[in-house]
């Protein structure tokens, strides 16, 4: 018996199609019989569909087409530039592999005929499929297929199917095309995301400089929040963008205890050995239920008394007698903006004791007139439709609703709540992640300028 699609596998398929889509089951051979006639009766002229095949080696693969299946007339192929093959499970382990159609084979995306089942590519057939009526043998249906596929970017069909054409089940789902492209108005509007937009954002931040009259050469951005929320990961993400490679300079990870044991004012440099940009991302201990950053130490950080690279001591709090204490901090030493980092996946169950601590810290920030922004991290884990592509984040209504909740939790305007995805498991930079992070950083620097302007006015 085939093991149904797991949540992460279903999310992967939806993401490959285009995000937050709805799938409606049309045909299932274990329920409806393995019959080409039945397949066409149930699936013809239904618009975009996804075909999912489960084989006896606990491997799940299939194909997507945006075109109609048509069983009438002679065997023919259909043109489809959006078609692709996929594999989401191999030997019982979830995977995410997408095989797009070759640019010179768009006219042969699918094969249609009244006596063959769903077939991707044109051939004998080139995709594991069936013809006529198949009866199960020992609980499996033995499909036909060749060793190679010249239409899609699959070099070895045997590897694609895990070298098994014994099929336990096949399902065809109608893709609700109304949800392939978002039908809601974006809750936050931005220009079209492309490489030009990314380069413009990066250039804006590259040339940014604080107000010269203040004498501040680098804006101090303080990151703080619950342990494991992604403070250090945000620095690593920004650092990666400007270095051009994935970096992990700041210690990061998911834990109940803070991995940060020093107060650090991290520089972000242009390239590997380039000059520093005009801001510093300040990392400190995370908030914990019983320990973590103490409110008194937090005040010393805000006021610029704590020196860079100060090592926190669990047995004694930082104070005027501590090594490196800055007795008379200037505007250059002070924090110019506070960034609260919150894990999107725990907003609905944010601990009461952490809320109390957060509000206490915010009170100290408000007393000093320092602006605040919330970085809402791990949005791809909160909204599965964003896994693999966060470019549609501002059209995802569940993220807009989450921003409302965080605004209420922190008492900040919605414009101050900025969702992001940090680099976590990736080994290469991605345009969508870069754009989202740079949008957040630009907003942070704009708000820091507001603080410096107010400082001048005072």
């Amino acid at each position: 018996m085939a093991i149904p699609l797991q949540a992460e596998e279903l999310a992967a398929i939806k993401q490959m199609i285009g995000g937050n889509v709805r799938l409606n089951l049309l045909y299932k051979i274990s329920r409806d019989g393995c019959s080409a006639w039945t397949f066409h009766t149930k699936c013809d002229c239904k618009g975009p569909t996804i075909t999912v095949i489960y084989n006896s080696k606990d491997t799940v693969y299939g194909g997507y087409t945006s075109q109609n299946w048509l069983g009438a007339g002679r065997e023919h192929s259909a043109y489809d530039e959006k078609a692709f093959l996929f594999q989401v499970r191999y030997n019982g382990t979830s995977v995410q592999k997408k095989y797009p159609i070759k640019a010179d084979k768009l006219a042969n995306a699918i094969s249609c005929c009244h006596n063959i089942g769903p077939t991707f590519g044109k051939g004998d057939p080139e995709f594991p499929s069936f013809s006529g009526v198949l009866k199960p043998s020992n609980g499996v249906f033995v499909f036909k297929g060749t060793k190679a596929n010249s239409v899609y970017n699959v070099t070895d069909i045997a590897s694609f199917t895990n070298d098994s054409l014994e099929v336990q089940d096949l399902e065809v789902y109608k893709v609700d095309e109304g949800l392939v492209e978002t039908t809601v108005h974006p809750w936050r509007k931005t220009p079209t995301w492309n490489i030009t937009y990314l380069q413009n954002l990066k250039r804006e931040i590259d040339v940014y400089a604080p107000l010269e009259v203040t004498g501040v050469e680098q804006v101090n951005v303080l990151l703080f929040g619950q342990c494991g929320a992604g403070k250090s990961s945000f620095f690593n993400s920004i650092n990666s963008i400007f270095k051009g490679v994935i970096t992990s300079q700041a210690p990061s990870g998911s834990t109940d205890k803070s991995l940060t044991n020093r107060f650090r004012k991290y520089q972000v440099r242009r390239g590997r050995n380039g000059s520093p940009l005009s801001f510093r991302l300040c990392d400190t201990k995370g908030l914990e239920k019983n320990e973590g950053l103490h409110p008194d130490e937090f005040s010393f950080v805000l006021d610029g008394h704590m020196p860079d690279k100060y090592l926190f001591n669990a047995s004694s709090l930082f104070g005027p007698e501590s090594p490196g204490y800055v007795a008379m901090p200037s505007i250059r030493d002070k924090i110019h903006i506070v960034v609260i980092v919150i894990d999107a996946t725990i907003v609905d169950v944010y601990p009461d004791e952490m809320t109390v601590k957060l509000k206490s810290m915010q009170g100290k920030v408000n007393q000093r007139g320092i602006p605040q922004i919330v970085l809402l991290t791990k949005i791809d884990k909160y909204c599965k439709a964003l896994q693999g592509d966060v470019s549609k984040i501002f059209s995802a209504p569940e993220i807009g609703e989450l921003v409302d909740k965080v605004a209420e939790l922190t008492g900040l305007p919605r414009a101050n709540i900025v969702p992001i995805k940090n680099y976590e498991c990736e080994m290469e930079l991605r345009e969508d992640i870069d754009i989202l992070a740079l949008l957040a950083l630009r907003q942070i620097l704009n708000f820091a300028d507001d603080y410096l302007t107010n400082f001048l006015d005072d």
Side-chain angles (χ1 to χ4, degrees), residues 274-320:
S275 58
L277 294 166
S278 298
F279 59 88
R280 293 184 291 187
L281 297 178
C282 305
D283 197 9
T284 188
K285 290 177 67 175
L287 294 178
E288 300 176 26
K289 290 183 179 180
N290 300 316
E291 298 179 7
L293 185 65
H294 191 278
D296 291 342
E297 291 181 315
F298 184 65
S299 295
F300 285 128
V301 170
L302 294 178
D303 293 334
H305 294 292
M306 187 174 289
D308 186 24
K309 300 181 182 179
Y310 171 76
L311 179 63
F312 289 101
N313 188 336
S315 61
S316 63
L317 296 178
F318 178 84

Side-chain angles (χ1 to χ4, degrees), residues 180-288:
V180 172
E181 296 297 332
T182 180
T183 58
V184 300
H185 295 293
W187 57 269
R188 183 171 291 168
K189 293 185 178 181
T190 61
T192 302
W193 287 26
N194 51 37
I195 188 62
T196 300
Y197 185 44
L198 171 58
Q199 291 171 344
N200 288 341
L201 281 172
K202 196 172 179 180
R203 190 178 302 112
E204 277 188 60
I205 293 168
D206 188 272
V207 302
Y208 166 82
L211 295 171
E212 185 176 358
V213 67
T214 62
V216 174
E217 296 176 351
Q218 289 180 297
V219 165
N220 293 322
V221 179
L222 178 64
L223 305 169
F224 95 98
Q226 194 170 358
C227 295
K231 298 183 293 86
S232 302
S233 294
F234 179 66
F235 162 72
N236 287 336
S237 296
I238 297 298
N239 199 38
S240 298
I241 293 170
F242 284 94
K243 279 197 172 182
V245 295
I246 299 295
T247 66
S248 186
Q249 183 177 340
S252 61
S254 298
T255 174
D256 292 335
K257 295 292 183 180
S258 180
L259 293 176
T260 303
N261 58 10
R262 290 181 182 271
F263 174 64
R264 288 299 311 271
K265 293 182 176 181
Y266 284 111
Q267 304 267 17
V268 176
R269 297 182 179 275
R270 301 172 175 90
R272 186 175 181 183
N273 298 309
S275 58
L277 294 166
S278 298
F279 59 88
R280 293 184 291 187
L281 297 178
C282 305
D283 197 9
T284 188
K285 290 177 67 175
L287 294 178
E288 300 176 26

Side-chain angles (χ1 to χ4, degrees), residues 85 99-111 119-128 145-158 160:
L85 304 184
Y99 307 93
I101 190 169
K102 295 178 180 178
D104 60 341
K105 300 292 185 179
L106 302 182
N108 295 328
I110 59 173
S111 293
T119 303
F120 291 79
K122 185 179 181 181
D124 186 27
E126 293 185 335
F127 178 80
T146 57
K147 295 292 184 182
N149 189 299
S150 61
V151 176
Y152 294 84
N153 285 297
V154 178
T155 56
D156 185 7
I157 288 293
F160 177 65

